[in-house]
Amino acid sequence: MSKFKTIIRDTSILDLNSELEHLHTFENVPASMACTLQDSSKDVTMNQVWEICKDTGLVQLRELFPLDVVYKFPHNDGVGKVWENHDKALSEFIESLEVNTALEIGAGKGRLGKLCLSKSKDNHWTALEPNHSYEEVVMDNFVHLREWFDDNYVIKNRYDAIVHSHVLEHTYNPVSFLKTIHQQIDDDTLHIFSVPNLYHYIKNKFTNGLNFEHTIFLTEDILYTLLNQIGFETIKKHYHEELPCIFYACKKIKPKKVNYSKSIYDRNKKVFLEFVNYYKNEVEELNKKIDNFDGEIYLFGAHIFSQFLIFNGLNTDRVNCILDNSPMKRGNRLYGTSFNVDSPKIVKDKDNVAVILKTASYNDEIKNDILCNINSSVTFWE
């Protein structure tokens, strides 16, 4: 029996309205997207039940694992040019707003802070991140606080900006998260953040859009209304298309009384169900290709990309292993599966190889690297 208690959402997190409509249930979904050396018998799964609020149009996950179960093993090391380009673009966005001092919530590896500090020796960056030590960062103007940001967190100093990148969509209660920031910052402190364009993700059938980490379908129109509801006015916005995501710069205002457009419900329900139906058909097609292929078969992406296909019925009997470019994942097992992880370099000099590649915005980068640097004869099923 599990030693943890799941979290139940039986009302909309935006307005506490209980009018929730069931959309779809994915069965036996692994709690973590990470790779691990633990025995597979310790992996836990749960059905993902997705519902939609009839009043706000927000799609949300009904039952959640505790955070320490979902994030038990680290997995986001930001490998590759796509993430590097994102952080560079975000640092330039921050620089354009003349930010000299910043507190970054959920700073990850600290790359964004180091980029911003490289712009000027007079800048100062405080990184709030409980999961990294930053021993490699030797800078007088870089401070690491190994702390969690929650409802009780106290921002002790004055900053030009509070920054977070790909954090908001991970919060179980974005309303509370934004309120905590709003209540604690000075009137002239900016609120700058980057979030994935989740509507784009689901519309384009990206499997890393909604999961046990991204538990709310935080679309652009919902976020616009939510920011006004909390008391933030957007003064600058940038669409970063490569990842893809949206950069926001907000100033603090008085909270506004808002109404969510009725059209959001119809639009979000439609695109979500199209996503579900697409993968019912797509997995069937992939299984046909697997049955008819006489060479070696690999899955790419030791992450949700592979897990999603597997728990939706992908025939894995002939899959050799999972390939990934991340050094921290190789030699480990993808949580919730029986597959070990290896470098794509193992397909070098192989004559008859197929790679299942469903890695969203990373497809082109991964495919080009393999074809140009490892094996030009690989067949990709995208």
Side-chain angles (χ1 to χ4, degrees):
M1 178 176 288
S2 300
K3 296 181 180 180
F4 54 82
K5 185 177 181 180
T6 60
I7 301 161
I8 304 294
R9 290 182 180 142
D10 53 10
T11 60
S12 169
I13 63 173
L14 293 181
D15 65 358
L16 302 182
N17 189 300
S18 59
E19 289 294 313
L20 297 174
E21 173 188 344
H22 178 262
L23 288 178
H24 185 72
T25 297
F26 293 111
E27 297 182 352
N28 299 318
V29 182
S32 171
M33 302 179 194
C35 295
T36 176
L37 290 174
Q38 79 171 12
D39 189 271
S40 61
S41 63
K42 296 182 180 179
D43 295 356
V44 291
T45 64
M46 181 168 66
N47 289 353
Q48 276 187 1
V49 181
W50 292 98
E51 299 176 324
I52 186 169
C53 173
K54 295 181 179 180
D55 291 334
T56 65
L58 180 70
V59 176
Q60 61 184 52
L61 190 59
R62 180 174 182 83
E63 188 171 9
L64 292 72
F65 284 108
L67 287 169
D68 58 353
V69 175
V70 176
Y71 297 101
K72 182 178 181 180
F73 307 103
H75 65 79
N76 186 10
D77 51 351
V79 170
K81 283 293 181 183
V82 171
W83 271 111
E84 289 179 14
N85 292 342
H86 167 274
D87 289 353
K88 183 175 183 295
L90 182 55
S91 72
E92 292 170 352
F93 181 80
I94 294 170
E95 182 186 17
S96 72
L97 295 159
E98 299 181 350
V99 172
N100 296 316
T101 61
L103 170 67
E104 184 185 4
I105 299 169
K109 294 176 65 177
R111 182 163 61 196
L112 179 62
K114 288 183 283 185
L115 282 168
C116 289
L117 292 178
S118 69
K119 310 289 183 181
S120 172
K121 294 181 180 179
D122 296 327
N123 291 348
H124 192 280
W125 198 269
T126 300
L128 191 65
E129 173 56 60
N131 293 322
H132 281 274
S133 64
Y134 298 141
E135 294 173 354
E136 76 281 8
V137 181
V138 184
M139 296 178 175
D140 292 336
N141 51 353
F142 185 101
V143 174
H144 172 218
L145 301 178
R146 198 176 180 86
E147 300 170 0
W148 284 97
F149 184 87
D150 57 22
D151 296 352
N152 299 314
Y153 191 81
V154 177
I155 300 175
K156 301 179 179 66
N157 299 315
R158 190 261 172 209
Y159 299 94
D160 294 335
I162 302 298
V163 176
H164 50 94
S165 175
H166 293 254
V167 170
L168 183 61
E169 70 275 13
H170 289 262
T171 62
Y172 281 2
N173 191 331
V175 177
S176 176
F177 178 84
L178 292 172
K179 279 184 177 179
T180 301
I181 294 174
H182 184 271
Q183 291 167 358
Q184 299 222 22
I185 63 174
D186 294 327
D187 290 343
D188 60 347
T189 296
L190 295 177
H191 176 207
I192 304 172
F193 61 97
S194 173
V195 290
N197 188 342
L198 289 179
Y199 188 84
H200 178 96
Y201 276 49
I202 300 304
K203 184 177 181 180
N204 288 277
K205 314 304 185 289
F206 291 0
T207 57
N208 58 337
L210 295 173
N211 43 65
F212 279 130
E213 292 190 8
H214 298 174
T215 65
I216 47 175
F217 193 19
L218 201 59
T219 58
E220 185 177 1
D221 42 12
I222 287 178
L223 183 54
Y224 171 81
T225 308
L226 176 58
L227 287 169
N228 279 270
Q229 178 183 332
I230 300 300
F232 287 112
E233 179 182 315
T234 302
I235 59 172
K236 189 173 183 178
K237 184 160 61 172
H238 171 73
Y239 294 89
H240 182 74
E241 296 182 358
E242 187 180 20
L243 197 47
C245 57
I246 308 172
F247 301 164
Y248 288 86
C250 305
K251 69 176 182 180
K252 184 176 179 178
I253 59 172
K254 291 183 178 179
K256 294 181 179 180
K257 185 176 181 179
V258 300
N259 293 305
Y260 288 87
S261 171
K262 296 297 182 181
S263 65
I264 299 175
Y265 166 83
D266 294 326
R267 184 164 59 250
N268 287 355
K269 180 177 179 179
K270 179 176 183 290
V271 75
F272 183 90
L273 292 179
E274 286 175 347
F275 171 85
V276 171
N277 290 328
Y278 171 85
Y279 274 101
K280 287 180 181 178
N281 296 325
E282 186 65 11
V283 170
E284 288 181 5
E285 291 301 314
L286 285 171
N287 285 342
K288 291 177 184 177
K289 291 179 179 179
I290 290 170
D291 290 341
N292 295 323
F293 190 73
D294 60 358
E296 295 184 15
I297 300 171
Y298 297 85
L299 258 174
F300 198 103
H303 194 50
I304 187 63
F305 302 124
S306 294
Q307 288 175 330
F308 184 88
L309 296 175
I310 292 170
F311 68 68
N312 274 286
L314 185 74
N315 178 6
T316 59
D317 291 345
R318 292 188 50 221
V319 173
N320 285 25
C321 72
I322 295 176
L323 307 177
D324 202 284
N325 285 321
S326 171
M328 71 179 286
K329 297 179 180 181
R330 293 175 202 153
N332 293 335
R333 178 183 57 84
L334 177 60
Y335 189 102
T337 79
S338 60
F339 290 103
N340 291 327
V341 184
D342 212 329
S343 166
K345 292 180 181 179
I346 67 170
V347 303
K348 185 177 178 65
D349 299 327
K350 292 182 182 291
D351 294 329
N352 196 17
V353 173
V355 174
I356 301 171
L357 186 66
K358 294 285 184 181
T359 56
S361 52
Y362 310 101
N363 265 23
D364 288 345
E365 179 183 4
I366 293 165
K367 182 178 178 180
N368 291 337
D369 177 57
I370 291 176
L371 292 176
C372 296
N373 302 315
I374 299 173
N375 188 336
S376 61
S377 67
V378 170
T379 297
F380 287 92
W381 296 336
E382 301 179 68

